[in-house]
Amino acid sequence: MTEAGHNGRNVKLSFERQSIVVAISQLVPLKALRPGMKESRKYAQILGSVRAIGLVEAPAVAPDPKHPGRYFLLDGHLRVEALKDLGIQEVECLVSTDDETYTYNKRINRLAAVQEHRMITRAIERGVPEERIAEALGLDAVSIRRRARMLKGICPDVVDLLKDSPCPMSVFDMLRRMAPIRQVEAAELMIGQNNYTAVFAKVLLATTPEKLLVVLRRKKVDSVTAEQIARMERELLSLQTQVKSVEDSYGLDNLQLTVTCGYVRKLLANGRIVRWLTQHRPEYLSEFQSIAGIESFGDAKSAAE
């Protein structure tokens, strides 16, 4: 399916315009849940959220060309499991138009801070009481209100950069005290170093020039001496130089990784291949599923370990 872009050319959509309701029994998962996943706090949060406010993010599926009416589950495995545990028989799904080219957001189920914020704000907009949301997520009402306001004062570009990142809420408190241009710089540094900790965000705030701040530094930050700030600025500059020095080789390696992962995902979208691997080479299927879930070199390293 296509639609006209601003320049007059057709732009291919990743999903059909209309979602469909599918019987959960007709969904074929492309990966198995890890042992103990249903006992995890993450799954408990998802289960509680679905029970209290319903499904916010629809699962993504692709039709099985060999079996009409059956669909491969591309994204949303934990959400579908939660629906099963709640005795729900059907689910509204997004239908992929090209599962080869669309990169599915495997981090949604991890309840990244931005995703959690969106889930909470949507629930509030639908009239769900804050107390009910808090009970579903195992939080208190004050924390729910804080999460609902989390992105106030945050540059939209930064929200887009960090929407799937494991940033704690306190990181956004630090970013909010910076001017938009510095927020973007800080977000890019966190992504480049794969460091989303509050400590790193505090260092970035401490090394931010006064003219790029929107509020005065607190006393705790002011306690950093000028010499310490100068040293941190030099270290950050050196760090940025090192990152730029590996960009050329990184781009080529990342391209090769992306192509390889895309090919493996295409294989796993074939039901016959998945069934054969399940019956004859289950150990291969597990490895292929791990590869298909890789979206960065950090993920590749974790999978290798």
Side-chain angles (χ1 to χ4, degrees):
M1 180 175 294
T2 59
E3 65 177 9
H6 294 296
N7 55 7
R9 293 182 296 180
N10 287 333
V11 178
K12 188 170 183 179
L13 300 180
S14 296
F15 294 104
E16 298 286 354
R17 291 183 182 275
Q18 299 296 326
S19 59
I20 62 172
V21 176
V22 181
I24 291 179
S25 60
Q26 294 300 308
L27 296 177
V28 180
L30 292 184
K31 65 179 181 180
L33 295 184
R34 296 178 182 175
M37 177 57 73
K38 284 196 172 185
E39 288 71 44
S40 67
R41 182 176 181 272
K42 177 176 72 175
Y43 182 75
Q45 283 186 317
I46 293 172
L47 183 64
S49 170
V50 174
R51 180 187 291 115
I53 62 179
L55 203 61
V56 177
E57 299 286 349
V61 300
D64 182 348
K66 302 294 184 181
H67 300 86
R70 194 165 72 175
Y71 295 84
F72 293 115
L73 180 59
L74 304 174
D75 176 71
H77 292 73
L78 289 184
R79 280 165 277 161
V80 169
E81 285 298 320
L83 293 174
K84 289 180 182 178
D85 288 348
L86 294 173
I88 297 173
Q89 305 297 320
E90 295 179 331
V91 59
E92 186 176 0
C93 299
L94 299 175
V95 182
S96 171
T97 58
D98 189 354
D99 56 285
E100 256 187 282
T101 57
Y102 185 79
T103 301
Y104 301 99
N105 185 1
K106 71 187 182 73
R107 296 183 178 86
I108 289 176
N109 284 337
R110 294 186 182 180
L111 293 181
V114 173
Q115 296 291 347
E116 187 178 56
H117 161 82
R118 289 174 176 170
M119 180 184 71
I120 291 172
T121 54
R122 288 179 187 178
I124 292 175
E125 289 169 0
R126 293 177 181 178
V128 181
E130 293 177 352
E131 292 74 14
R132 187 178 177 189
I133 300 173
E135 181 181 357
L137 298 180
L139 302 169
D140 56 49
V142 174
S143 183
I144 292 297
R145 287 192 288 272
R146 185 182 172 204
R147 281 168 166 77
R149 298 191 300 266
M150 186 184 73
L151 298 183
K152 184 178 180 180
I154 301 298
C155 172
D157 290 338
V158 172
V159 175
D160 188 60
L161 286 171
L162 300 179
K163 62 183 179 181
D164 300 322
S165 302
C167 291
M169 190 164 50
S170 55
V171 166
F172 294 93
D173 293 336
M174 301 294 174
L175 292 174
R176 191 176 298 109
R177 299 167 66 187
M178 307 176 191
I181 188 172
R182 178 57 176 170
Q183 288 183 16
V184 174
E185 290 178 356
E188 290 177 342
L189 275 171
M190 287 189 285
I191 292 171
Q193 300 305 312
N194 194 30
N195 187 341
Y196 304 98
T197 63
V199 173
F200 189 49
K202 186 176 294 187
V203 170
L204 293 174
L205 176 63
T207 58
T208 299
E210 198 74 29
K211 63 181 181 180
L212 293 180
L213 293 174
V214 294
V215 294
L216 295 177
R217 291 188 174 96
R218 295 178 181 177
K219 292 182 178 180
K220 189 173 182 179
V221 178
D222 283 338
S223 63
V224 180
T225 66
E227 181 182 352
Q228 290 173 322
I229 291 177
R231 185 174 67 252
M232 285 189 286
E233 288 177 340
R234 290 194 300 270
E235 291 174 352
L236 281 175
L237 180 60
S238 175
L239 199 57
Q240 288 176 293
T241 302
Q242 293 174 25
V243 170
K244 290 183 181 296
S245 69
V246 300
E247 282 183 347
D248 292 339
S249 61
Y250 176 86
L252 180 59
D253 292 342
N254 196 45
L255 175 61
Q256 294 172 344
L257 175 65
T258 302
V259 171
T260 301
C261 291
Y263 178 71
V264 173
R265 292 190 192 104
K266 183 177 179 181
L267 288 179
L268 294 182
N270 187 313
R272 296 177 61 187
I273 292 177
V274 172
R275 286 193 297 274
W276 189 92
L277 288 171
T278 301
Q279 295 173 4
H280 303 284
R281 291 289 186 273
E283 69 279 8
Y284 288 5
L285 178 60
S286 176
E287 293 301 323
F288 284 157
Q289 288 171 341
S290 296
I291 293 172
I294 293 173
E295 292 187 0
S296 69
F297 287 127
D299 291 338
K301 182 178 179 182
S302 298
E305 294 174 347

